[in-house]
Amino acid sequence: MVRHRLLLALMTATVLLTAAARVPAEGAYPPGVPDLTDHDVQDGLVVLAISLLDGDPHFPVLVLAGSGGGLPRYLLVVVDTRSGKDAWSLQEDHPILFMVFSSSTELRGAYLDEGFAANGKASGHFSGAGPEAVERLVGELRDGHRRARRLVVESNGCETVPHAGGTGWHHPSS
């Protein structure tokens, strides 16, 4: 009986520790980047513009302005929306690049998803760089985007039909 309880306790501890170890990596944001899935954070940000990375509708680029409360003055976010759904959302899709600005001319930091840079797939792990390394990070973003486009072509056998543009936190297609 004691052996059974000890075994059950060890199995429970293993499951809890394994689950706890995975949680921070999933959906974690780099230092200085607010949690864009938090509704209070969303209330403090205004969408200034939405564009597309290299014209690719699967990679919207958001320019956001913070209204104080510890938020960055400006935040540029590139999102990987290749989830197969007809809409994208910051609640479900993966940001792959953050550029955090203290003012309209002062870049505080840039963060690129390491998995996206390496193989075109978001990993949730970011490498950061200061203003001096942004050119390198943008080059890595470009290379990761090229890999991602090849993945789409390879998995579908042809180019995919893009989902349409729009605005807001949840982006419905038309």
Side-chain angles (χ1 to χ4, degrees):
M1 183 77 150
V2 172
R3 182 182 259 172
H4 177 68
R5 286 184 184 168
L6 180 60
L7 183 59
L8 182 61
L10 286 173
M11 287 174 38
T12 302
T14 302
V15 168
L16 291 175
L17 289 174
T18 304
R22 280 185 280 188
V23 172
E26 301 239 353
Y29 287 91
V33 175
D35 180 357
L36 298 178
T37 63
D38 183 304
H39 293 292
D40 291 333
V41 170
Q42 291 177 6
D43 288 345
L45 294 168
V46 175
V47 178
L48 296 179
I50 297 180
S51 186
L52 302 174
L53 177 64
D54 209 18
D56 188 335
H58 295 289
F59 295 92
V61 179
L62 307 168
V63 179
L64 309 170
S67 59
L71 295 172
R73 183 64 192 125
Y74 298 102
L75 184 63
L76 182 136
V77 183
V78 178
V79 184
D80 181 349
T81 65
R82 296 173 295 155
S83 62
K85 298 179 182 177
D86 290 333
W88 62 266
S89 163
L90 289 173
Q91 301 290 332
E92 298 174 10
D93 292 303
H94 304 283
I96 55 170
L97 176 77
F98 295 102
M99 295 181 87
V100 183
F101 293 85
S102 300
S103 68
S104 60
T105 59
E106 185 179 344
L107 178 68
R108 188 168 48 194
Y111 306 92
L112 179 62
D113 185 286
E114 294 171 358
F116 186 80
N119 61 31
K121 293 182 181 179
S123 67
H125 299 279
F126 292 85
S127 60
E132 69 286 346
V134 167
E135 189 173 324
R136 176 185 55 80
L137 230 54
V138 169
E140 290 176 10
L141 173 67
R142 180 195 62 237
D143 295 344
H145 181 240
R146 287 179 181 157
R147 287 183 196 92
R149 289 180 108 165
R150 280 196 297 271
L151 289 174
V152 169
V153 171
E154 290 169 3
S155 67
N156 293 333
C158 62
E159 286 292 336
T160 60
V161 177
H163 51 274
T167 61
W169 293 108
H170 182 76
H171 181 204
S173 67
S174 38

